[in-house]
Structures are given as C-alpha cells and as structure tokens.
Amino acid sequence: MRLTSISARLLPTALFAGLAVAGCSSDKPNPTAPGYEGLGSGSAGDVSTTRMGGEDSGVIFGVGKGSKDQGGSAGSGIGVNAFLWRGALDTISFMPLASADPFGGVIITDWYTPPGTSGERFKATIYILSRDLRSDGVRVNIFRQVLQNGQWVDATVSETTVGDIENKVLARARRMREQMQASS
C-alpha cells in the first residue's frame, strides 16, 4: 500500500494522538494525603457517600427516585436530591437564572432588583449537598449590593434571610415529596 502525501502527513499526527490518549491512563493509584476520607469513606455525615445514592434520591427530569415499575431507569439520576433541586428552583424562580448544574447541585442566579427598589440588588447561589432530603442538604448564599455614588457596593445580608430561604427550599421539597407519595 502506497501512502499519499496527505496520509503521510496525518500518520504522525494520528500516532501522536493515540500515544497521548494512551498516556492518560495509569496503573498507579491516585496519591492522596494520609487521613483523607473521600468517596466511599462511609463516615457518618460524609457528603460524598450520600451523593452516591439514598432513599430520597431522584432522577434528572422528574421528581423522586424512579424504579423500573414507575418508568424510571435504575442507575439514571442526578448527583443531588431531586426534591431539593426542584424546591430550590421553585423558591428562587422570581430571580433570573444564570447557571444551573443538576449533576453538581449548584444553582446561580443573576442580579435581581426587587420591584420598587432601584438602589439595591441581590444574587443567590444555592448548593444541594445531598441525595437525601435532609435539612443539612441545602446551603444558600445571598449576595447584596447597594448603589452608592453610581457604584455598586457590597452590603451585608441578614443571617435570618439566608435561613428563611433555606427553610423555604426545604418546605417546598417536603411538600413535593408528600404529594408524590400521596399519588403513588
């Protein structure tokens, strides 16, 4: 077989790409610091182990954990609790959404100015930390800025505001779970 000029130029590139991909794998274990308790450590309260599955874990486009009887697929799902995820989205639905990652469990809103208030704006970041519907499975960060001399300046947010939003997310998630259980 005779190589054409194009295939002769592509052969070294293809070989290099193949070697580069082969070099990505390794038989060596990933080095970790002594005492590191990562995935699978099984310690109580370990967020990483609760992300691997739980009683209240859910599927990506539905609410609740699907089974084959309910049309769900075993093994499909998101890394976070679907009720918490949906509850968080419902709770902050009045704010413009900037980013939502259902696999990582992060929801980020864009700046929101409440009606009737021109010199103040808010932004939220919500972290869903568990595949179980638990009170410590959601964390909310609220950012507030006020307009001073034509510049947006960071301002403090009351801890009760953050707590109130977390409680609303949890209440909405519980309500959705109860509705789903009642309909089953």
Side-chain angles (χ1 to χ4, degrees):
M1 179 168 118
R2 186 169 173 223
L3 294 176
T4 64
S5 64
I6 293 176
S7 60
R9 282 185 276 158
L10 291 178
L11 183 61
T13 305
L15 286 173
F16 178 73
L19 290 173
V21 170
C24 291
S25 67
S26 171
D27 293 336
K28 298 178 189 174
N30 186 10
T32 56
Y36 174 76
E37 294 184 8
L39 287 175
S41 68
S43 62
D46 181 14
V47 173
S48 61
T49 56
T50 58
R51 283 181 172 253
M52 298 307 289
E55 228 174 90
D56 291 328
S57 61
V59 295
I60 189 165
F61 294 115
V63 177
K65 186 173 186 176
S67 68
K68 290 185 179 183
D69 296 336
Q70 297 170 336
S73 150
S76 69
I78 59 177
V80 297
N81 182 274
F83 296 114
L84 287 173
W85 178 257
R86 189 73 236 170
L89 287 173
D90 288 355
T91 301
I92 60 157
S93 62
F94 64 93
M95 299 177 83
L97 195 62
S99 172
D101 177 11
F103 297 100
V106 180
I107 301 169
I108 302 171
T109 69
D110 205 352
W111 288 105
Y112 168 75
T113 302
T117 309
S118 61
E120 183 178 46
R121 66 184 186 174
F122 297 91
K123 186 174 186 170
T125 304
I126 300 177
Y127 302 95
I128 309 300
L129 304 171
S130 176
R131 288 196 67 160
D132 296 323
L133 180 50
R134 302 171 10 164
S135 61
D136 62 350
V138 63
R139 185 178 47 163
V140 175
N141 291 335
I142 302 292
F143 305 95
R144 178 177 169 247
Q145 290 184 338
V146 293
L147 192 59
Q148 293 179 350
N149 301 326
Q151 297 285 331
W152 288 107
V153 179
D154 291 338
T156 59
V157 176
S158 169
E159 286 298 317
T160 58
T161 302
V162 172
D164 288 346
I165 293 175
E166 286 177 353
N167 288 335
K168 286 181 182 187
V169 169
L170 289 166
R172 177 71 180 132
R174 287 184 190 114
R175 206 169 28 253
M176 286 188 300
R177 182 180 65 178
E178 290 168 0
Q179 289 172 348
M180 180 168 208
Q181 288 173 345
S183 68
S184 295

